[in-house]
Amino acid sequence: MKTQRLKTIALAVGMAVGMLAVSPAYSADTTAGQDPAAAQLPPPKPLIPVSKVLEVGQKRTAAAKKSQIKIDRLAADTGDLLQDYKIVMKQVDGLRIYNGRLEKQIAGQLRRIASLEKSVDEATIIQRQITPLLMRMIDGLEQFVSLDVPFHIDERKERVEFLRSNMDRSDITIAEKFRQVLEAYKIENEYGRKIDSYKGVALVAGSERDVNFLRIGRIGLMYQTTDGEQSGAWDQDKRSWVELDAGDYRGAIQKGLRISNKQASIDIMKLPIPAPEAAK
């Protein structure tokens, strides 16, 4: 910009010197010794004042200044646009990577949906097969209770009836029905690993008596009257009660009752337990 201004000033000075050279005074001196014929030449055109030349130079300088300001503003705007462009391109690159990850996730979700739809179709078939399976399981449990040692017999039969009545209810899901049947099997399984006692009524010497029952897993079920005078045991082979010698088993059964009620520590007891047999 400074170089352009200097060039403009030099041009103005040169034009001023040229106009001075053609001024009337300068012309009179130079034409004094010339040929008279030359003096008859037409008069020169009016000369441009130096002030006009300087004014033109000033206008050009002002115009150049304005142009430079406009160029600087455009350069600044261009720099800002370039910076914005770089920022936008970084965002575009990030979005491109993010979209790539989303496409992979969507593809995985579509595969999962297809797998679930297939599972739903298969579950419908399985659900139709579960109901007959549960009915067979309940029938098997009922038969097992009727053939097992008759401890807590009323409670166990009520549990089977509860399961059978729930099979006809529409407000219970098939999953809940299945859970209830498995829970009943679990309870029956726990009976074989525990010792307990409870009060009940037994047929003693042809009449019903209040007795205390002692159960040893599934291998022994005994009773003793509340006065301790009579005792008996269940014979699984005969499917009936057998009276025991009070002198031999009275104390052992009483001790077993205390152990089951946590009134005595676990100890060895002499009880009428059938010997194990080899499986056939």
Side-chain angles (χ1 to χ4, degrees), residues 12-215:
V13 172
M15 292 177 64
V17 173
M19 286 187 292
L20 288 174
V22 297
S23 63
Y26 181 77
S27 299
D29 293 339
T30 54
T31 58
Q34 290 182 354
D35 187 13
Q40 297 178 358
L41 294 175
K45 294 180 179 181
L47 300 177
I48 301 175
V50 177
S51 60
K52 294 290 184 179
V53 175
L54 295 176
E55 184 180 356
V56 171
Q58 291 176 354
K59 289 181 178 180
R60 290 183 178 181
T61 302
K65 184 178 180 180
K66 291 181 180 180
S67 298
Q68 187 63 40
I69 293 173
K70 185 176 181 180
I71 291 171
D72 294 340
R73 186 174 65 252
L74 291 175
D77 294 341
T78 303
D80 294 340
L81 291 175
L82 179 61
Q83 187 66 25
D84 294 341
Y85 173 77
K86 291 180 179 179
I87 295 174
V88 171
M89 289 306 298
K90 288 183 179 179
Q91 294 177 352
V92 170
D93 292 339
L95 290 174
R96 187 180 293 111
I97 296 173
Y98 179 72
N99 289 337
R101 297 296 300 272
L102 285 182
E103 289 177 357
K104 292 182 180 179
Q105 293 179 2
I106 292 173
Q109 291 174 351
L110 291 176
R111 291 193 296 270
R112 179 62 176 167
I113 291 173
S115 177
L116 290 175
E117 290 177 350
K118 182 179 179 182
S119 299
V120 169
D121 295 338
E122 294 177 352
T124 304
I125 299 175
I126 294 174
Q127 183 175 0
R128 291 197 295 265
Q129 297 176 350
I130 287 179
T131 301
L133 173 63
L134 293 179
M135 295 301 297
R136 291 194 298 269
M137 292 177 68
I138 294 173
D139 292 340
L141 183 62
E142 182 179 20
Q143 184 179 7
F144 176 79
V145 170
S146 63
L147 296 177
D148 194 20
V149 178
F151 60 86
H152 299 298
I153 189 65
D154 294 335
E155 175 185 342
R156 296 164 73 188
K157 287 183 177 180
E158 288 177 1
R159 186 179 298 114
V160 173
E161 291 300 323
F162 172 77
L163 295 175
R164 193 178 299 280
S165 63
N166 283 347
M167 294 302 298
D168 298 330
R169 294 180 57 179
S170 60
D171 59 334
I172 301 178
T173 63
I174 192 67
E176 176 62 19
K177 295 176 183 178
F178 189 72
R179 188 199 64 80
Q180 291 176 357
V181 173
L182 291 182
E183 183 67 20
Y185 271 79
K186 181 180 178 181
I187 293 173
E188 289 292 333
N189 182 58
E190 291 294 325
Y191 283 144
R193 302 191 301 111
K194 295 181 179 180
I195 174 176
D196 75 331
S197 61
Y198 59 96
K199 295 183 180 296
V201 177
L203 189 63
V204 180
S207 62
E208 292 184 349
R209 298 279 302 274
D210 292 334
V211 298
N212 293 317
F213 287 103
L214 174 64
R215 178 181 65 84

Side-chain angles (χ1 to χ4, degrees), residues 192-265:
R193 302 191 301 111
K194 295 181 179 180
I195 174 176
D196 75 331
S197 61
Y198 59 96
K199 295 183 180 296
V201 177
L203 189 63
V204 180
S207 62
E208 292 184 349
R209 298 279 302 274
D210 292 334
V211 298
N212 293 317
F213 287 103
L214 174 64
R215 178 181 65 84
I216 310 296
R218 277 192 165 85
I219 60 176
L221 179 62
M222 291 142 280
Y223 71 83
Q224 190 173 80
T225 57
T226 55
D227 57 7
E229 294 298 329
Q230 292 177 296
S231 300
W234 177 260
D235 189 335
Q236 183 67 2
D237 295 333
K238 296 179 180 179
R239 300 290 301 173
S240 63
W241 292 101
V242 177
E243 292 188 10
L244 300 176
D245 187 355
D248 293 337
Y249 297 106
R250 177 181 178 182
I253 293 175
Q254 289 177 351
K255 186 176 183 179
L257 292 172
R258 291 196 301 271
I259 292 174
S260 65
N261 293 325
K262 301 185 184 305
Q263 297 174 351
S265 59

